[in-house]
Structures are given as C-alpha cells and as structure tokens.
Amino acid sequence: MNLAQKLGYPENTKLLIIHADDAGLSHSENQATIKALKNGSVNSYSIMVPCPWFFEMATFAKNNPNYDCGIHLTLTCEWENYKFGPVLPVPEVSSLTDENGHFYKSRKDFKNHAKYSEIKKELTAQIERVLQFGINPTHLDSHMYSVGITPEILELYKELGKTYNLPVFINEEFTESVRLSDEKHDFKNTLLVDNLIVGHFTDFEKGELKTSYSKALDNIQPGFNVILLHTAFDDFEMQGITVNHPNFGSAWRQIDFNYFTSSECEEKLKDNNIQLITWKQIKNLNCY
C-alpha cells in the first residue's frame, strides 16, 4: 500500500502538504504565517527555535494545536545583518559558531567546522525546548536543509525522528542537491516526499513566481507532494533581515503569502482534485 491508501484514499490520489518554513524568524514572518494558516490554503508550518521571535510563534502553536507544527531544525544563518546562534551556551557547541557566537552563513562553512557530537547536542536541545514549551510537534524539517550535507548528519536527522516519534521531511532529489560529501545518501526504509515544489529565483526575477505556483498546482502528480514556501510581509522588518538577499527575500515572501491566501489557489486545489493532508495524519499512521 502506498501512502494514499494507508491514509484511506484511492491509490492515485494527489496528496499535498502546503508548508510554510521559518516561523519564529521575525514578527512579520509569524503574523503572515498565522494569517496564511487561518485564512489561506497553507496547512503546515515549522518553527525556528533559535530565533528571537520563537516565543511568539511557540505561544500560537501551543494555543492552536489543530495546525501542523514542525520543528525547523536550525544550524545555519544566511542573513547579512541579522544573526542568531545555538540555543545551548556557545562554549558547549563552539564548533557550530563563528567568532561572534553566530551560526555560519553557508552549509559549506558549517560542514567544515561542525563536530558531529555538537550537532547532535544542539539539535536535541532545540527539540527539547519545543517539548518543554508544551507543544506537540508533528514532524521535523531543516533550515537550509543543512542536515542533508553528509550521510552521517542525515542519519542523525532520521535517528532524531525515530527517538521522538516524529516523521522527518526528506525528498531524495532535494537532499542530493545539497550534499557536500562524495558519499551518497541511503534512502532505504525512509518515507520520502515524492515531489517537492519550491519557487525558483529565475521565476522571481522575471516576475513569474505566482504563475509558477499556479502551473505547479495544475501539474501535480499522484503521490506525496509538498509545496515549500516562506510567508512574510514585505515590510521594514523583513527588508532589513533579507537585505542583499533577494532569493527568498522580503518581496518573495510577500508573493508567497499573497498567492497561498488567494481564491485562485483555493480554486486550483479543487479543480485539480488535490487532497490536502497533514504531517499529523502521517505521524498517527506510524508508517515512517
């Protein structure tokens, strides 16, 4: 039986999770994510525990357990002037940080410095902080997908999922695209997302990001699909955070919010017979 059948749908059902990353990053990100959950088609999100606005989104998650809420495991910080670091004291996980105690900007720098034992310690601490807050998370995923840079770290990611009884987000093509190791990943005995849909910078540059999302919904295939987006408002806060970083920048995130709260998106889901599912349903199946 495939995932659709396990969930009680016909074998060829087009399953879809519309997921918003980076909750907790900023007030703008939080408020847009909350509105997209309440008033749009977004049905999943994940929280960045190390970020300054974690508390606001965690409070929402605790008070609104009906929404899918994952943990956006964070080991890197890509922004130019906006910085954050580990939840643990820096001396305990110093290999994860630069000279200022912040996460490294790139996956490459992270790989070149991070010790496995300290990665495990920090990721465990992030999960534990969510649990201590009183949140019942639905899954694990990863900021900048830093967990995919080596097979060893990906196995740790999967191990944490098993330890905490949480499904983990893994798409084979996407995971291989971020790999920085000569050794290939092992995807055996792992629930995989069949098709990951993410906006492309070329479409954003051409002003065609919204159109690309619309086309993606028209072309969704049977199987387990995930649309990965970032919802925020194009305001002073997000413009400051994403300065000199148009890729997934402030304007991009406003487009994500606008499209996935639109009636056009809602109609596309209906017209294409797309069945929205949640990580919570997958977790309850215990099939991962």
Side-chain angles (χ1 to χ4, degrees):
M1 293 175 64
N2 65 11
L3 180 60
Q5 291 169 306
K6 290 177 181 178
L7 290 169
Y9 302 113
E11 180 180 1
N12 292 324
T13 302
K14 302 172 184 177
L15 304 176
L16 176 63
I17 294 175
I18 303 179
H19 175 82
D21 270 354
D22 289 4
L25 179 70
S26 68
H27 179 60
S28 176
E29 191 89 27
N30 289 350
Q31 292 304 305
T33 300
I34 290 168
K35 290 184 178 180
L37 290 163
K38 289 184 173 181
N39 304 318
S41 299
V42 174
N43 69 337
S44 173
Y45 69 100
S46 54
I47 302 179
M48 300 176 75
V49 183
C51 291
W53 283 89
F54 164 75
F55 184 87
E56 179 184 54
M57 200 67 199
T59 301
F60 172 82
K62 184 177 180 179
N63 295 334
N64 296 271
N66 50 309
Y67 296 113
D68 254 22
C69 173
I71 303 173
H72 200 46
L73 297 171
T74 302
L75 295 163
T76 48
C77 176
E78 69 271 44
W79 310 116
E80 187 170 309
N81 296 323
Y82 177 70
K83 300 295 182 181
F84 45 81
V87 300
L88 290 173
V90 169
E92 291 187 27
V93 287
S94 59
S95 72
L96 307 184
T97 68
D98 63 18
E99 65 276 12
N100 296 311
H102 302 135
F103 286 134
Y104 291 103
K105 287 184 70 172
S106 71
R107 287 185 291 259
K108 183 178 179 181
D109 282 341
F110 164 65
K111 176 182 181 293
N112 289 340
H113 293 89
K115 296 177 181 177
Y116 176 89
S117 62
E118 294 183 5
I119 297 170
K120 184 174 183 178
K121 188 188 256 189
E122 171 62 19
L123 293 184
T124 301
Q126 291 182 22
I127 296 169
E128 287 293 333
R129 181 159 295 186
V130 169
L131 297 175
Q132 289 164 8
F133 206 92
I135 299 167
N136 186 19
T138 55
H139 68 284
L140 300 177
D141 54 45
S142 170
H143 183 59
M144 294 174 60
Y145 215 66
S146 298
V147 297
I149 60 171
T150 69
E152 182 183 37
I153 300 173
L154 189 73
E155 289 304 312
L156 169 61
Y157 175 55
K158 293 192 284 185
E159 176 190 314
L160 288 169
K162 291 176 182 176
T163 299
Y164 289 96
N165 193 29
L166 295 171
V168 295
F169 165 77
I170 299 178
N171 169 259
E172 184 172 350
E173 182 180 2
F174 183 57
T175 305
E176 285 293 344
S177 75
V178 302
R179 177 167 55 87
L180 298 176
S181 167
D182 292 335
E183 184 184 354
K184 290 191 175 182
H185 293 297
D186 180 4
F187 297 104
K188 295 176 184 176
N189 303 315
T190 303
L191 174 66
L192 297 174
V193 173
D194 297 317
N195 182 39
L196 174 64
I197 299 163
V198 184
H200 295 287
F201 187 60
T202 51
D203 291 325
F204 172 72
E205 283 187 305
K206 295 175 183 176
E208 297 175 357
L209 190 57
K210 173 187 170 182
T211 303
S212 73
Y213 290 138
S214 184
K215 288 179 179 177
L217 290 176
D218 282 336
N219 291 304
I220 278 187
Q221 299 299 308
F224 182 18
N225 302 276
V226 171
I227 294 178
L228 195 158
L229 60 133
H230 305 79
T231 50
F233 299 122
D234 187 15
D235 55 18
F236 285 142
E237 183 189 26
M238 285 307 300
Q239 289 165 13
I241 288 172
T242 63
V243 64
N244 297 330
H245 199 298
N247 193 25
F248 301 115
S250 185
W252 181 314
R253 292 172 191 240
Q254 181 74 63
I255 294 169
D256 281 4
F257 173 82
N258 290 348
Y259 183 76
F260 288 97
T261 56
S262 69
S263 57
E264 178 184 346
C265 175
E266 190 175 353
E267 289 165 7
K268 284 286 182 185
L269 294 172
K270 292 178 183 176
D271 291 345
N272 290 292
N273 297 312
I274 295 168
Q275 177 63 53
L276 291 181
I277 62 166
T278 64
W279 285 109
K280 189 179 295 184
Q281 287 175 273
I282 294 170
K283 180 183 177 184
N284 291 341
L285 279 179
N286 199 29
C287 66
Y288 46 88

